[in-house]
Amino acid sequence: MQSRQSQNLVVTIERPHHILATENGYSDILNHNVEELRLETIQVFTGPQTDVNALQTCIFKARAGESSKTHLILYDRIEGPQLKLVSFAPYYDAPGIELTCLITIVRSNAILLKDVREISQRPSALVTSDYPYHIKMVGQGFTALFGFESAQICGQSINSLICPETDILRWCTMFQNACEGQVDNAELILTTLAQNLNKVRVVCTPVVEHGSGPIKYVLFAFEQLEAVAPSSASQEAAAEQSAVSSAGEQSGVVSRPESPEPCVERSKGGRGAPYAKISPRRKAHEERSELPSLPVKVTLELIEELSQYTLYRAADKIGVSATALKMACRKLGIAKWQCKRRSPPPQDNAAPRAAEAAAAPPQQP
């Protein structure tokens, strides 16, 4: 027998949610002997810090055929309260058997918001898990590393740190893994306020607001590894930004708002895979920001990875508009966005229309 991080059990839908079965081949669940658990209810894992209402609500959702996932504090028999990522799904053991609920308990790397301490002394940032991923707070170490003051960067998207050299796919994957309760890290090239490039180690840690519920924030921790020489794409972006700033200073007036249409450029020859560069532009109704507009590099590999989503969802994933992503695809020779997810066939309204026409009284000449 052995124990593991992911553990399954089946419980009844109705209260008090008796434990009917546990997965074969494992000796315990949260250090409770599996043989003893079959005589218990789900309450054996609860305690003073457990959100029992959230637990029961998720079980009842299985009755309607709905699966759900949430963080809960469950009690280990030896180690006490632990934060777990718990999944709930409807379960039928065999045809004709009454519906039950399959519960999967997985170790979660999430931390509580109240436990996020000493952030002000580290190069780190607390970011919302929802698009557009606003930065809620940063530390003094963040300002020293990237050059952004707290007043400049708070309220802006964490994507303000990306540049043409950033591995966008790895950046998005790391963030998504954190939103699913797992700590992830990567070595990435990010930009500073002065358009300098740094290779940094980024660690993303999921953060929950309370003892139960979804991931609300992601804690980014940064460690500088080395400075990186900018590529031609970064130099062009920096020169363009500098030219716009200089023109505004010499004229003594604020330049007019940029066009709402993004600027999309294709790579100009050279070695390596082709890509399209999207330079987002501020819309007329948006307030001017002191942050530079950093381009997004779109490659064929990135488009292939995002093809499981609709055009609008894929654009949200990389922080650009659907129009910009569509233009980038055309620059790379892709005429139309192809979503691999199948859509339901359109309803055929020919028969109902024919029936209505037959039932309609004839018109008088």
Side-chain angles (χ1 to χ4, degrees):
M1 292 290 184
Q2 56 181 325
S3 60
R4 64 172 185 173
Q5 294 180 351
S6 176
Q7 300 169 315
N8 300 320
L9 63 153
V10 178
V11 302
T12 59
I13 295 292
E14 303 298 334
R15 293 189 181 93
H17 310 300
H18 289 283
I19 299 175
L20 301 178
T22 57
E23 188 172 2
N24 292 330
Y26 298 95
S27 60
D28 64 83
I29 296 179
L30 298 181
N31 284 310
H32 292 269
N33 184 278
V34 294
E35 297 298 331
E36 298 175 356
L37 283 177
R38 292 167 187 161
L39 303 175
E40 297 286 349
T41 69
I42 195 65
Q43 306 300 326
V44 72
F45 299 121
T46 64
Q49 300 182 45
T50 305
D51 189 339
V52 178
N53 289 332
L55 173 64
Q56 293 178 343
T57 298
C58 291
I59 294 176
F60 288 143
K61 285 182 178 180
R63 175 191 294 169
E66 180 180 350
S67 299
S68 58
K69 181 184 296 186
T70 189
H71 278 81
L72 290 169
I73 294 180
L74 300 181
Y75 280 71
D76 186 287
R77 185 174 185 177
I78 297 176
E79 301 177 10
Q82 295 183 350
L83 186 62
K84 298 289 184 178
L85 182 61
V86 189
S87 302
F88 303 82
Y91 181 78
Y92 293 92
D93 183 60
I97 301 299
E98 184 179 0
L99 174 66
T100 55
C101 179
L102 173 65
I103 299 178
T104 302
I105 303 173
V106 182
R107 179 181 62 87
S108 174
N109 293 319
I111 60 176
L112 296 177
L113 183 60
K114 65 181 182 64
D115 294 330
V116 179
R117 299 172 181 172
E118 299 180 358
I119 185 175
S120 61
Q121 304 301 322
R122 299 184 298 163
S124 52
L126 187 66
V127 180
T128 61
S129 61
D130 297 327
Y131 180 81
Y133 320 120
H134 287 140
I135 297 175
K136 302 295 291 184
M137 60 182 297
V138 298
Q140 296 176 0
F142 182 94
T143 301
L145 180 58
F146 294 106
F148 295 101
E149 296 293 339
S150 178
Q152 288 179 296
I153 197 68
C154 288
Q156 301 293 335
S157 172
I158 188 66
N159 289 336
S160 300
L161 301 180
I162 64 176
C163 59
E165 290 79 5
T166 304
D167 186 341
I168 300 296
L169 182 57
R170 186 68 188 95
W171 172 268
C172 296
T173 301
M174 177 181 62
F175 189 86
Q176 184 63 35
N177 289 340
C179 291
E180 293 178 356
Q182 304 303 319
V183 172
D184 199 358
N185 69 89
E187 294 183 4
L188 297 168
I189 298 176
L190 302 177
T191 187
T192 68
L193 178 62
Q195 300 289 336
N196 298 322
L197 302 184
N198 285 327
K199 185 177 182 181
V200 298
R201 182 184 303 279
V202 186
V203 180
C204 288
T205 303
V207 180
V208 293
E209 197 165 17
H210 305 291
S212 63
I215 301 294
K216 298 291 292 184
Y217 304 98
V218 174
L219 179 64
F220 281 73
F222 305 95
E223 177 187 357
Q224 184 175 13
L225 300 178
E226 59 181 344
V228 178
S231 66
S232 58
S234 288
Q235 290 175 347
E236 292 174 5
E240 181 181 354
Q241 182 69 25
S242 177
V244 172
S245 300
S246 299
E249 292 175 359
Q250 293 176 3
S251 62
V253 297
V254 178
S255 59
R256 63 183 178 85
E258 297 89 342
S259 165
E261 291 298 327
C263 175
V264 181
E265 302 176 11
R266 195 185 189 279
S267 58
K268 301 177 181 178
R271 298 181 180 179
Y275 66 88
K277 182 179 70 174
I278 303 176
S279 298
R281 292 183 174 178
R282 182 173 60 88
K283 298 181 180 180
H285 67 275
E286 294 179 340
E287 296 181 359
R288 179 175 296 275
S289 172
E290 298 180 8
L291 297 176
S293 296
L294 300 176
V296 177
K297 184 177 179 181
V298 179
T299 63
L300 294 174
E301 290 78 7
L302 178 59
I303 293 175
E304 174 66 22
E305 180 70 20
L306 295 173
S307 62
Q308 59 181 306
Y309 305 107
T310 64
L311 175 63
Y312 291 94
R313 180 58 177 161
D316 283 345
K317 283 282 184 179
I318 59 176
V320 301
S321 68
T323 300
L325 181 56
K326 186 186 299 183
M327 293 171 62
C329 289
R330 291 175 179 172
K331 292 286 185 180
L332 295 174
I334 301 175
K336 185 178 180 181
W337 183 265
Q338 298 291 338
C339 180
K340 293 181 179 180
R341 183 178 299 174
R342 295 183 177 180
S343 301
Q347 297 181 355
D348 186 5
N349 295 325
R353 287 199 300 268
E356 292 177 0
Q363 297 181 355
Q364 295 296 330

